[in-house]
Amino acid sequence: MGSWKGIIEHYRSRLEMDDDSPVVSLGEGNTPMIFSERLSERTGLEVYLKFEGMNPTGSFKDRGMTVAITKAVARGAKAVVCASTGNTSASAAAYSAKAGILCVVLIPAGNVASGKLAQALVHGAKVVEVRGNFDQAFEITLKLEGPYPIVVVNSTNPHRLLGQKTGAFEVCDGLGRAPDYHIIPVGNAGNITSYWRGYREYHADGVTQNLPQMFGFQAAGAAPIVLGHPVDQPKTIATAIRIGHPASWDNALAAAKDSGGEIRAVTDKKILEAYRLIASEGIFAELASSAPVAGLLQLAADGRVAKGKTAVCICTGHGLKDPSWAISGAPKPVQVDAQMDVVAQALGF
Ligand code: F0G
C-alpha cells in the first residue's frame, strides 16, 4: 500500500535506473482506465478509455519526461530543449521547474492551444515561437544539441520512450492481460512505439500471455504514414498531431505490421464527433485524444474488429488545455437576473 510515487518508483526495475540518482517526479502515471458503456454498446466490444489527461501536466508526456529529466539531471545537464505542438513543452517546462534547470521550448507560432502555452510560461520556460510548423521547429531543435550544452527531450531521446512504455504496463496490470486491440493517436509516433515495446516486454517476461493488435490513427490532413510520404503542410484541428514528418515513422509502421494492426486516418469531422461523444460520457479529452475513439468507431464500422473483444483507446491529453472547441460547439448559457424565480423560470420549472 502507500501513496503512488510516480512511474519510476513503481516500475523502477524496468526503466534502467541508477539507484542513486535523485528522481524528478510529479507523481505521474496510475491514470484511470474507464469502462465506456456507450462505446461498448455501439461497437459490441468491451471498450476502455485510458485517460492520460489525468497526468500532472494533463498529458501522457509526463511518463517519458520524468525519466528524461531524471537522466538529464543525473548527467549534470543544466538545460533541456524540445520542439512541441504543446504537450511536450508543458511537460518539459514543469519537470524542468521541479528539477531547477532551464527549459527551452520551440513551438509553431499560432498553432499551440492556449492552455499548453500557459503551462510552458507559468513554469518559467524560455518560449520561442517559430514561424513555421512543428516539423521545422523540431529540425532546428535537433541541431541545437551538438554545439550547445543542452539536452533534447523530444521522443527521439530514448529515455522518453522508456518512460512512456509504462502506459502499456498499466493497461495490462489493470486488465490482468493485454487488450485485444490497442488504439492510439499518432503524431511524431513515439507513443505507439513505446506502447508496443511495453506490451512486448510484459509478454516476453511472461507477465502477459497475449499481445494486442496496434492501431494508430493520424488526422486525415496530417497522415504521412498512411499516405506513404511526408506531408510538408499538415492541416488538422487536432493541433497536437499536426505533424508531417514523424520521427518514429518506421517504428510506428513496425508496431502496426508486427502486431497485425494498421496505421489509419480519421477526418477532423469524425475527431470532433468523437470528442463530443466521450465528453457526453464525462471524459473531457483534447481533440487529438479523441482520434482513437473516432478510429475505434471506424474499425467497428469496417468490421475490422471482432465483437466481444477488449479494446483500449489511449486518450492522451486533457480537454481543458483547449476549451475553445468545447465552448464554440455548445449552446450559449442563458443569462438571468439574480432571483430564484427568474432562474426557475429560465429552467422551465
Ligand atoms: N496526443 C496528444 C495529446 C499529443 O500531444 C501528441 C503529441 C500525440 C497524441 C501524439 O503522440 O507524437 O508520440 O505520436 N504531441 C507532441 C507534442 C508532438 O509536442 O506535444 P506521438
Side-chain angles (χ1 to χ4, degrees), residues 168-179:
F169 300 157
E170 285 182 20
V171 170
C172 296
D173 292 345
L175 292 175
R177 64 191 289 273

Side-chain angles (χ1 to χ4, degrees), residues 60-61 83-88 185-191 240-241 243 286 288-289 316-317:
F60 72 96
K61 306 287 180 180
S84 182
T85 55
N87 281 323
T88 300
V186 173
N188 218 15
N191 212 23
I241 51 171
I243 294 177
E286 67 172 279
S289 307
T316 42

Side-chain angles (χ1 to χ4, degrees), residues 58-61 82-90 106-108 116 134 154-155 160-161 164 184-194 217-218 239-243 246 248 252 286-290 292 314-318 321:
S59 87
F60 72 96
K61 306 287 180 180
C82 64
S84 182
T85 55
N87 281 323
T88 300
S89 52
L106 273 62
I107 56 173
K116 300 176 188 179
F134 167 84
N154 278 102
S155 58
R160 282 276 312 280
L161 296 190
Q164 283 172 209
I184 189 165
V186 173
N188 218 15
N191 212 23
I192 189 169
T193 303
S194 293
F217 281 88
Q218 302 195 295
T239 53
I241 51 171
R242 191 171 170 271
I243 294 177
S248 298
E286 67 172 279
L287 288 169
S289 307
S290 310
I314 308 300
C315 295
T316 42
H318 206 293
K321 286 170 176 271

Side-chain angles (χ1 to χ4, degrees), residues 117-134:
L117 177 59
Q119 288 179 287
L121 293 171
V122 81
H123 295 308
K126 210 174 174 60
V127 177
V128 181
E129 290 194 323
V130 176
R131 285 187 218 102
N133 58 31
F134 167 84

Side-chain angles (χ1 to χ4, degrees), residues 196-249:
W196 182 230
R197 284 188 190 162
Y199 285 126
R200 276 183 307 163
E201 185 175 322
Y202 256 25
H203 187 248
D205 291 349
V207 183
T208 49
Q209 310 306 316
N210 64 316
L211 284 167
Q213 291 185 353
M214 304 290 290
F215 289 96
F217 281 88
Q218 302 195 295
I225 304 179
V226 179
L227 296 171
H229 59 78
V231 175
D232 285 335
Q233 273 162 4
K235 283 193 190 70
T236 168
I237 56 171
T239 53
I241 51 171
R242 191 171 170 271
I243 294 177
H245 294 246
S248 298
W249 183 316

Side-chain angles (χ1 to χ4, degrees), residues 49-54 58 271-272 274-280 282-293 313-323 325-326:
L49 304 176
K50 175 99 172 133
F51 192 19
E52 288 289 279
M54 294 303 287
I271 290 176
L272 203 49
Y275 169 83
R276 299 207 196 294
L277 180 69
I278 53 175
S280 76
I283 295 158
F284 192 13
E286 67 172 279
L287 288 169
S289 307
S290 310
V293 175
C313 295
I314 308 300
C315 295
T316 42
H318 206 293
L320 279 173
K321 286 170 176 271
D322 188 6
W325 283 100

